[in-house]
Amino acid sequence: MKKNRTLKKAPLPYLLFVVASVGLVACNLVTKPQQAAIATNQTENKAFDPTDFVDVFIGTDGKGKTFPGATVPHGMVQLSPDNGRTGWDWIAGYFYPDNVIAGFSHTHLSGTGAGDLYDISFMPMTKPAKRLELEGGPKQGVIASHFSHQQESASPGYYQVMLDDYAIQVELTAGLRTGYQRYNYAADTQTGVVRLDLGYSRNWDKTLGSSIQIIDEHTIAGYRKSTGWAPDQRVYFYTRFSAPIKDYVIHKDGQPNAGTSHQGVAIAGQFEFDLSQSKIVEVRTAISSVSIDNAKNNFLAEGINKTFEQTRNEAKQAWKNELSKVEIQADTDNMRQFYTAMYHASLAPRVFSDSDGRYKGPDGNIHTSSGFAKNGEPRYEFFSLWDTFRALHPWKTIVDPDRSSQMMTSIMDHYKVASRLPVWNFQGNETDMMMGYHSVPVLVDAYKKGLLKEDPKDILDAAIQSATQQKFGLASYQELGFVPFEERKWNVSLTLEYAFDDWAIAALAKDLGEDALYQQFTKRAQNYRKHFDPQTGFMRALDQQGEFRLPFDENAYHPEDYCEANAWQYSFFVPHDIEGLVTLMGGNTAFTNKLDTMFEVEQSMDDVPEWISGYIGQYVHGNEPSHHVPYLYSFVEQPHKTQALVRKIMDDLYTTKPDGLAGNEDAGQMSAWYLFSALGFYPVNPVSGHYVLGSPEINNAVLNLDNGNTFKVRAENQSDKNVYVKKAILNGQELKRIFITHQEIMAGGELVFIMSPTH
C-alpha cells in the first residue's frame, strides 16, 4: 500500500490556471447553429425544449444496442455504465434488462453489431468489495453492484444511478473530450474508494497493455492499448480527482505493486479518499489517441476549473442547439421518437482529433487534421458507411451541412494517409467491416450539394482508386462484371453495391467533363443485371462461368450470398436505376405484384440470423439493405402503398420503450430513416438529391437551415387513420411528381400534405 506522504502536492500555478472555457466549448460542440432562426422560434415558444422529448433508454433493450450514458453531439467521450457481462446483448456495454453495473467507461459504440471499446473504466465502491460471477468476467468474479431502474435516470448529456450494494449515487456528464463523474457516498461512509480497471475488456475487446502514473495527490494519467474490432486502439487519459488521494494500491496483472509508475498488460488502481469533510468525490478524465500530454491538453482546453454542473448545463445546451435544428409538433409518442432519433443521429461520426488537431492515423502514426490546419476543424471517425450512406449522411447535408463538410474532409484525410477511402474506420484504424466503397456516394452527394472543400478531381481520383482495387472481389468484378460465389460470401450484395457506387462515380465524372470515365462507370453501374434471373425474378449468385447457383431458395439466409439478408431484400437494391429494374422484372404490374408478395410471404423462424428482425413478410426493417424498398411503390404509380407501409413501419417498428428499435441503431441509420419518413420524404437514391414523398407522421415541422432559410412541413387532417396523401403542395403549387429536391428544401418554403383516410 503506497501512502499519501509520498504524493506531491499539485503545483500552485497549475491549480490557479484558468481557461476561458465556456466560449471554447461552445464553439467545439456546435458548428454554426442556426442562431437567428432558433432564437426567433424560442422567443415565440419559450417553453419548447427538444431535450425534454429525448429518451436515451430507447434502444438499450432488444436489438437496438445503444448506450444510455453521457455524451455531447458527435463527442469523443461516451461516458456510460457497463453491466460487466459478455454477449450479443451487451455489445454497447449496457443492456436494459440487466440489474448490475461493473463500472463506468469512457468509450462506447452506438447500435453496432461489434462489441468493442469500454476504455478507462472507473467504479466507485466501499470496502469490502463485492464480487459477482458475470458472463465473460474473470474467474474470481467482477467487482460490481446491483441497481434498479427506479433509481436510475438519464437525459442528453447526463446520467445518474444509485449503486445499491455500496449506497453510492453516481452522476455522469461530458464535454467534447472529457468525462465528468460525481460520486455521492452515504452519510455514514468515512472512506470512499474509486477503482480504475484498465484491464477491463469484454466481447471482442482484449487489453494489450496499460499504464497508470501517479502525478500528484489529485492527479493520475496513463493509457490503455487494446485490440478487437480494430487492431490498434490507443486511449491515453488524464484524470483529476476533486479530493486528495489518501491511500492507493496498484495491481499489475492481479498483484499489488509499489511505486508511482506502473506498466503491464492489465493494470488496475484502487484509490481511497477521506470523506470526513465531504461525501462527494468528483472524477474528471480527458482522453486522447495521441499521448498523455495531449490528454492533459484536452483537459485544459475545456477549462481546468469547470464544475460538474457547468459541464452538465453546457452539454444540455449543446444538445438543445443540436435538436432545435428541427422543431416539430406531433403527439407525445411521436415527439419522443423524433427527438430521440435526432439524438441518436447526432452521435456518429464523432470527433477523434485532439484540441490541437492531432490524432492517431490508420498508418499508426500521428497526424494533424487538414481541416484543423486550415480552419480549426476536428477530424471525425467512426464512419459506419455501409449503413449510413443510405440516409444518415443525406440527413446531415440538410440539418448540419457545415459539420457534414468537415466529415468529408476527414474521409479524404483518411484517403491521403491510408491510400484508399475508408470502408468503416474506427479508433484510427480501417476495420473493412461490411462492404462496398460507400465513401464514394457520400462524397459525391456532398459535392453535388456544394459541401466539398476538396478539389472534386481529388475526389474522383480517390473514387477510382477504390473502384479499381484488386481486393474484396473487385478483381473478378472488373473482369467478369460480377463477383462469383466461389470467391466470396455476400457475392450478390457486392456486385449490386459496387454497381451503385459506380453510378456515383459516373455522375461525378460527368460533372467534371471526364467523358471516358463517365462511359466506363455508367456501363459498370449496369452490372446488377448480370445477377437477375428472369425465371425466378430474383438476383441470384453466379459461379465463375456465369451459371446460377443451385439449389435456390429466395427465403433462405444460407448460403450467405446476400449480406445479412436474403434474395427478397437484395433483389430490389438498384437505387440508381429503378426504371431499369422495373423493366427487368416485367413492368409496373409485375413489379408491384413482386413487392406485394415480398410484404406478404411469412418469415420462417427456422435458422433466422440474429440481425433479421423488424419484419413485415420478407421485408426486414431491422437491417439496412431494404430501407428504401417501401418507397419503391411510388415509382410504379402506387404511392398509396408506400404511404400505408411507411406509416405502418413507423407505428409498429419504432416505439418509446427500451426495446423500441427494431434492429441495431447502426450509428444513426435506423434513426435517420425515421427522421426522413416522419417528415414525409426519403432519399431512395442518396446521391440523386431527390427525396421521394411518403406519409408524414408529424403535424408540423420547421427546419431551421444553416443558410438562414426555413423549410416548413405541414400535414393537414393528420391522424393515425389518415395515412394517405390526397395531394402534396409545395410553395402553393400542387406537386405532380413523387419527389422534392434538395435545392427546394434549402431554398426554404413550405410543403403541405393533405391527409386522407382513403387513397
Side-chain angles (χ1 to χ4, degrees), residues 299-332:
F299 185 102
L300 296 175
E302 293 186 22
I304 189 174
N305 287 350
K306 187 72 64 64
T307 67
F308 185 95
E309 288 304 326
Q310 279 181 300
T311 306
R312 179 183 175 183
N313 290 336
E314 289 174 3
K316 179 180 173 66
Q317 187 61 48
W319 279 115
K320 187 174 180 179
N321 291 342
E322 185 81 7
L323 303 181
S324 294
K325 293 170 182 178
V326 183
E327 299 186 30
I328 72 163
Q329 294 177 354
D331 67 39
T332 301

Short mmCIF file of all heavy atoms in Angstrom, two decimals, residues 299-332:
data_model
loop_
_atom_site.label_atom_id
_atom_site.label_comp_id
_atom_site.label_asym_id
_atom_site.label_seq_id
_atom_site.Cartn_x
_atom_site.Cartn_y
_atom_site.Cartn_z
N PHE A 299 -7.79 18.20 -21.51
CA PHE A 299 -8.34 18.53 -20.19
C PHE A 299 -8.31 20.04 -19.98
O PHE A 299 -9.31 20.66 -19.60
CB PHE A 299 -7.50 17.82 -19.12
CG PHE A 299 -7.99 17.94 -17.72
CD1 PHE A 299 -8.67 16.89 -17.12
CD2 PHE A 299 -7.74 19.08 -16.96
CE1 PHE A 299 -9.11 16.99 -15.80
CE2 PHE A 299 -8.16 19.19 -15.66
CZ PHE A 299 -8.86 18.14 -15.07
N LEU A 300 -7.16 20.66 -20.23
CA LEU A 300 -7.00 22.10 -20.02
C LEU A 300 -7.86 22.91 -20.98
O LEU A 300 -8.40 23.95 -20.62
CB LEU A 300 -5.53 22.49 -20.18
CG LEU A 300 -4.54 21.88 -19.17
CD1 LEU A 300 -3.12 22.27 -19.53
CD2 LEU A 300 -4.89 22.32 -17.75
N ALA A 301 -7.99 22.42 -22.22
CA ALA A 301 -8.73 23.17 -23.24
C ALA A 301 -10.19 23.36 -22.88
O ALA A 301 -10.83 24.32 -23.31
CB ALA A 301 -8.62 22.46 -24.59
N GLU A 302 -10.74 22.43 -22.08
CA GLU A 302 -12.15 22.55 -21.69
C GLU A 302 -12.33 23.25 -20.35
O GLU A 302 -13.46 23.35 -19.87
CB GLU A 302 -12.81 21.17 -21.71
CG GLU A 302 -12.88 20.61 -23.13
CD GLU A 302 -13.65 19.32 -23.25
OE1 GLU A 302 -14.48 19.03 -22.36
OE2 GLU A 302 -13.43 18.60 -24.23
N GLY A 303 -11.21 23.75 -19.76
CA GLY A 303 -11.32 24.55 -18.55
C GLY A 303 -11.00 23.79 -17.30
O GLY A 303 -11.76 22.92 -16.88
N ILE A 304 -9.90 24.12 -16.67
CA ILE A 304 -9.46 23.33 -15.51
C ILE A 304 -10.41 23.47 -14.32
O ILE A 304 -10.57 22.57 -13.52
CB ILE A 304 -8.02 23.72 -15.11
CG1 ILE A 304 -7.50 22.75 -14.05
CG2 ILE A 304 -7.93 25.15 -14.63
CD1 ILE A 304 -6.05 22.94 -13.71
N ASN A 305 -11.04 24.63 -14.18
CA ASN A 305 -11.92 24.85 -13.04
C ASN A 305 -13.38 24.60 -13.37
O ASN A 305 -14.27 25.03 -12.62
CB ASN A 305 -11.76 26.29 -12.52
CG ASN A 305 -10.44 26.47 -11.78
OD1 ASN A 305 -9.75 25.50 -11.51
ND2 ASN A 305 -10.10 27.70 -11.48
N LYS A 306 -13.63 23.94 -14.45
CA LYS A 306 -15.02 23.65 -14.85
C LYS A 306 -15.67 22.74 -13.82
O LYS A 306 -15.12 21.72 -13.43
CB LYS A 306 -15.02 22.99 -16.22
CG LYS A 306 -16.39 22.79 -16.84
CD LYS A 306 -17.00 24.08 -17.30
CE LYS A 306 -16.21 24.72 -18.40
NZ LYS A 306 -16.19 23.94 -19.63
N THR A 307 -16.86 23.12 -13.37
CA THR A 307 -17.57 22.30 -12.40
C THR A 307 -18.45 21.28 -13.11
O THR A 307 -18.73 21.40 -14.31
CB THR A 307 -18.47 23.15 -11.50
OG1 THR A 307 -19.53 23.71 -12.29
CG2 THR A 307 -17.67 24.26 -10.83
N PHE A 308 -18.89 20.30 -12.34
CA PHE A 308 -19.79 19.29 -12.89
C PHE A 308 -21.06 19.94 -13.42
O PHE A 308 -21.52 19.62 -14.52
CB PHE A 308 -20.14 18.27 -11.79
CG PHE A 308 -20.97 17.11 -12.28
CD1 PHE A 308 -20.38 15.92 -12.67
CD2 PHE A 308 -22.36 17.21 -12.36
CE1 PHE A 308 -21.15 14.86 -13.12
CE2 PHE A 308 -23.14 16.17 -12.81
CZ PHE A 308 -22.53 14.97 -13.20
N GLU A 309 -21.64 20.86 -12.65
CA GLU A 309 -22.90 21.49 -13.07
C GLU A 309 -22.71 22.36 -14.30
O GLU A 309 -23.58 22.40 -15.17
CB GLU A 309 -23.49 22.31 -11.92
CG GLU A 309 -24.06 21.47 -10.79
CD GLU A 309 -25.12 20.47 -11.26
OE1 GLU A 309 -25.88 20.79 -12.20
OE2 GLU A 309 -25.18 19.36 -10.71
N GLN A 310 -21.59 23.08 -14.37
CA GLN A 310 -21.32 23.85 -15.58
C GLN A 310 -21.28 22.95 -16.81
O GLN A 310 -21.86 23.26 -17.85
CB GLN A 310 -19.97 24.58 -15.45
CG GLN A 310 -19.99 25.86 -14.67
CD GLN A 310 -18.61 26.48 -14.64
OE1 GLN A 310 -17.65 25.88 -14.13
NE2 GLN A 310 -18.46 27.67 -15.17
N THR A 311 -20.57 21.86 -16.67
CA THR A 311 -20.43 20.93 -17.79
C THR A 311 -21.76 20.32 -18.16
O THR A 311 -22.11 20.21 -19.35
CB THR A 311 -19.42 19.82 -17.44
OG1 THR A 311 -18.20 20.42 -17.02
CG2 THR A 311 -19.16 18.92 -18.63
N ARG A 312 -22.53 19.93 -17.16
CA ARG A 312 -23.86 19.37 -17.43
C ARG A 312 -24.73 20.38 -18.17
O ARG A 312 -25.42 20.03 -19.14
CB ARG A 312 -24.52 18.95 -16.12
CG ARG A 312 -25.91 18.38 -16.30
CD ARG A 312 -26.56 18.05 -14.97
NE ARG A 312 -27.94 17.61 -15.16
CZ ARG A 312 -28.77 17.30 -14.18
NH1 ARG A 312 -28.37 17.38 -12.91
NH2 ARG A 312 -30.01 16.91 -14.45
N ASN A 313 -24.71 21.64 -17.73
CA ASN A 313 -25.53 22.67 -18.38
C ASN A 313 -25.06 22.93 -19.80
O ASN A 313 -25.89 23.14 -20.71
CB ASN A 313 -25.50 23.96 -17.56
CG ASN A 313 -26.23 23.83 -16.24
OD1 ASN A 313 -27.13 22.99 -16.10
ND2 ASN A 313 -25.87 24.65 -15.27
N GLU A 314 -23.75 22.94 -20.01
CA GLU A 314 -23.23 23.15 -21.36
C GLU A 314 -23.58 21.98 -22.28
O GLU A 314 -23.88 22.18 -23.47
CB GLU A 314 -21.72 23.37 -21.32
CG GLU A 314 -21.33 24.70 -20.72
CD GLU A 314 -19.84 24.85 -20.54
OE1 GLU A 314 -19.09 23.93 -20.94
OE2 GLU A 314 -19.41 25.88 -20.00
N ALA A 315 -23.52 20.76 -21.75
CA ALA A 315 -23.91 19.60 -22.55
C ALA A 315 -25.38 19.67 -22.93
O ALA A 315 -25.76 19.41 -24.08
CB ALA A 315 -23.62 18.31 -21.78
N LYS A 316 -26.21 20.05 -21.97
CA LYS A 316 -27.64 20.18 -22.26
C LYS A 316 -27.89 21.25 -23.32
O LYS A 316 -28.69 21.06 -24.25
CB LYS A 316 -28.41 20.53 -20.98
CG LYS A 316 -29.92 20.71 -21.19
CD LYS A 316 -30.61 21.06 -19.89
CE LYS A 316 -32.08 21.40 -20.12
NZ LYS A 316 -32.87 20.25 -20.58
N GLN A 317 -27.18 22.40 -23.20
CA GLN A 317 -27.36 23.47 -24.18
C GLN A 317 -26.88 23.03 -25.56
O GLN A 317 -27.50 23.37 -26.59
CB GLN A 317 -26.62 24.72 -23.74
CG GLN A 317 -26.89 25.94 -24.62
CD GLN A 317 -28.36 26.33 -24.63
OE1 GLN A 317 -28.99 26.44 -23.58
NE2 GLN A 317 -28.91 26.54 -25.82
N ALA A 318 -25.77 22.29 -25.59
CA ALA A 318 -25.28 21.80 -26.88
C ALA A 318 -26.32 20.90 -27.54
O ALA A 318 -26.56 20.98 -28.75
CB ALA A 318 -23.97 21.04 -26.70
N TRP A 319 -26.95 20.04 -26.74
CA TRP A 319 -27.99 19.18 -27.28
C TRP A 319 -29.23 19.97 -27.68
O TRP A 319 -29.88 19.68 -28.69
CB TRP A 319 -28.35 18.08 -26.28
CG TRP A 319 -27.39 16.94 -26.32
CD1 TRP A 319 -26.53 16.53 -25.35
CD2 TRP A 319 -27.18 16.04 -27.43
NE1 TRP A 319 -25.79 15.46 -25.77
CE2 TRP A 319 -26.17 15.13 -27.04
CE3 TRP A 319 -27.73 15.93 -28.70
CZ2 TRP A 319 -25.72 14.12 -27.89
CZ3 TRP A 319 -27.28 14.94 -29.55
CH2 TRP A 319 -26.29 14.05 -29.14
N LYS A 320 -29.56 20.98 -26.89
CA LYS A 320 -30.72 21.81 -27.25
C LYS A 320 -30.49 22.51 -28.58
O LYS A 320 -31.38 22.55 -29.44
CB LYS A 320 -30.97 22.84 -26.14
CG LYS A 320 -32.25 23.65 -26.32
CD LYS A 320 -32.50 24.54 -25.11
CE LYS A 320 -33.78 25.34 -25.28
NZ LYS A 320 -34.04 26.20 -24.09
N ASN A 321 -29.28 23.03 -28.78
CA ASN A 321 -28.95 23.66 -30.06
C ASN A 321 -29.02 22.65 -31.20
O ASN A 321 -29.54 22.94 -32.29
CB ASN A 321 -27.56 24.27 -30.01
CG ASN A 321 -27.48 25.48 -29.09
OD1 ASN A 321 -28.50 26.07 -28.75
ND2 ASN A 321 -26.28 25.83 -28.67
N GLU A 322 -28.47 21.47 -30.95
CA GLU A 322 -28.44 20.43 -31.99
C GLU A 322 -29.85 20.01 -32.39
O GLU A 322 -30.17 19.89 -33.58
CB GLU A 322 -27.65 19.22 -31.47
CG GLU A 322 -27.45 18.11 -32.49
CD GLU A 322 -26.31 18.37 -33.44
OE1 GLU A 322 -25.58 19.36 -33.26
OE2 GLU A 322 -26.17 17.58 -34.39
N LEU A 323 -30.70 19.77 -31.42
CA LEU A 323 -32.03 19.23 -31.70
C LEU A 323 -33.00 20.30 -32.16
O LEU A 323 -34.02 19.99 -32.79
CB LEU A 323 -32.57 18.53 -30.45
CG LEU A 323 -31.70 17.40 -29.88
CD1 LEU A 323 -32.36 16.77 -28.66
CD2 LEU A 323 -31.40 16.34 -30.93
N SER A 324 -32.71 21.56 -31.87
CA SER A 324 -33.60 22.65 -32.29
C SER A 324 -33.47 22.97 -33.77
O SER A 324 -34.20 23.83 -34.28
CB SER A 324 -33.31 23.91 -31.47
OG SER A 324 -33.63 23.73 -30.12
N LYS A 325 -32.58 22.27 -34.46
CA LYS A 325 -32.48 22.47 -35.89
C LYS A 325 -33.76 22.06 -36.60
O LYS A 325 -34.03 22.51 -37.72
CB LYS A 325 -31.28 21.69 -36.44
CG LYS A 325 -29.95 22.24 -35.94
CD LYS A 325 -28.79 21.33 -36.30
CE LYS A 325 -27.49 21.89 -35.74
NZ LYS A 325 -26.33 21.01 -36.01
N VAL A 326 -34.51 21.17 -35.97
CA VAL A 326 -35.83 20.79 -36.49
C VAL A 326 -36.81 20.89 -35.33
O VAL A 326 -36.62 20.23 -34.32
CB VAL A 326 -35.84 19.37 -37.08
CG1 VAL A 326 -37.22 19.06 -37.67
CG2 VAL A 326 -34.76 19.20 -38.13
N GLU A 327 -37.82 21.71 -35.49
CA GLU A 327 -38.84 21.86 -34.45
C GLU A 327 -40.15 21.29 -34.99
O GLU A 327 -40.64 21.72 -36.03
CB GLU A 327 -39.01 23.32 -34.05
CG GLU A 327 -37.72 23.91 -33.49
CD GLU A 327 -37.91 25.32 -32.95
OE1 GLU A 327 -39.02 25.63 -32.50
OE2 GLU A 327 -36.94 26.09 -32.99
N ILE A 328 -40.69 20.33 -34.27
CA ILE A 328 -41.90 19.65 -34.75
C ILE A 328 -43.02 19.76 -33.74
O ILE A 328 -42.81 20.04 -32.56
CB ILE A 328 -41.63 18.16 -35.05
CG1 ILE A 328 -41.45 17.36 -33.75
CG2 ILE A 328 -40.44 17.98 -35.98
CD1 ILE A 328 -41.60 15.87 -33.92
N GLN A 329 -44.22 19.55 -34.23
CA GLN A 329 -45.40 19.34 -33.41
C GLN A 329 -46.01 18.00 -33.83
O GLN A 329 -46.21 17.75 -35.02
CB GLN A 329 -46.42 20.46 -33.59
CG GLN A 329 -45.95 21.81 -33.09
CD GLN A 329 -46.97 22.91 -33.35
OE1 GLN A 329 -47.98 22.69 -34.00
NE2 GLN A 329 -46.69 24.10 -32.84
N ALA A 330 -46.25 17.16 -32.86
CA ALA A 330 -46.82 15.84 -33.11
C ALA A 330 -47.36 15.34 -31.78
O ALA A 330 -47.25 16.02 -30.75
CB ALA A 330 -45.77 14.89 -33.67
N ASP A 331 -47.97 14.13 -31.79
CA ASP A 331 -48.41 13.61 -30.50
C ASP A 331 -47.18 13.25 -29.67
O ASP A 331 -46.06 13.17 -30.17
CB ASP A 331 -49.38 12.44 -30.66
CG ASP A 331 -48.74 11.19 -31.26
OD1 ASP A 331 -47.58 10.88 -30.92
OD2 ASP A 331 -49.41 10.52 -32.06
N THR A 332 -47.39 13.05 -28.37
CA THR A 332 -46.26 12.93 -27.45
C THR A 332 -45.33 11.79 -27.81
O THR A 332 -44.10 11.94 -27.81
CB THR A 332 -46.77 12.75 -26.01
OG1 THR A 332 -47.58 13.87 -25.67
CG2 THR A 332 -45.62 12.66 -25.03
#
